[in-house]
Amino acid sequence: QVQLVESGGGLVQPGGSLRLSCTYSGTIFSIYARGWYRQAPGKQRELVARITSGGSTNYADSVKGRFTISRDNAKNTVYLQMNGLKPEDTAVYYCNFQTTFGEYWGQGTQVTVSS
């Protein structure tokens, strides 16, 4: 059974940095994209960043220039480096793997940006 596990969330002051990691156990075939989404209280889940199997990336306008998505295929891991964090970045962050057979979600990790 495939399981995605996120880590790296926590409480950080405005302007600070965090790096989220998402790794999986089990076997996933035909991954064509890996992504990070977030959901703040009372809001819909939104795409934060996405990287395709070919290495193309796209970001939400609100995080461009501050967040960077990357992957390590050998470690089955996708990362989200978050710099210049703002209070409005506070949310539960979820990783997502898209495959030709469906998609997988992690359980989420809380990121809180507050002084």
Side-chain angles (χ1 to χ4, degrees):
Q1 184 175 355
V2 172
Q3 186 174 15
L4 273 60
V5 178
E6 300 103 336
S7 61
L11 173 64
V12 64
Q13 292 186 341
S17 298
L18 286 174
R19 188 175 83 152
L20 305 183
S21 300
C22 174
T23 191
Y24 69 87
S25 58
T27 303
I28 303 180
F29 295 101
S30 303
I31 299 172
Y32 64 81
R34 298 163 174 83
W36 288 94
Y37 291 71
R38 68 185 180 188
Q39 187 167 19
K43 295 188 176 181
Q44 290 187 330
R45 190 173 297 188
E46 63 174 357
L47 175 68
V48 177
R50 184 174 179 266
I51 184 167
T52 69
S53 58
S56 299
T57 58
N58 62 289
Y59 297 89
D61 288 343
S62 58
V63 308
K64 283 180 181 176
R66 300 187 298 123
F67 291 11
T68 303
I69 188 170
S70 62
R71 68 178 192 268
D72 185 334
N73 291 338
K75 296 182 178 179
N76 297 335
T77 301
V78 61
Y79 303 97
L80 184 67
Q81 177 66 44
M82 306 186 294
N83 299 326
L85 283 160
K86 304 176 180 180
E88 51 264 42
D89 295 318
T90 295
V92 178
Y93 284 70
Y94 300 89
C95 69
N96 169 269
F97 281 27
Q98 295 177 321
T99 82
T100 56
F101 304 103
E103 61 181 354
Y104 300 89
W105 290 91
Q107 81 289 350
T109 185
Q110 176 70 47
V111 171
T112 303
V113 185
S114 175
S115 55

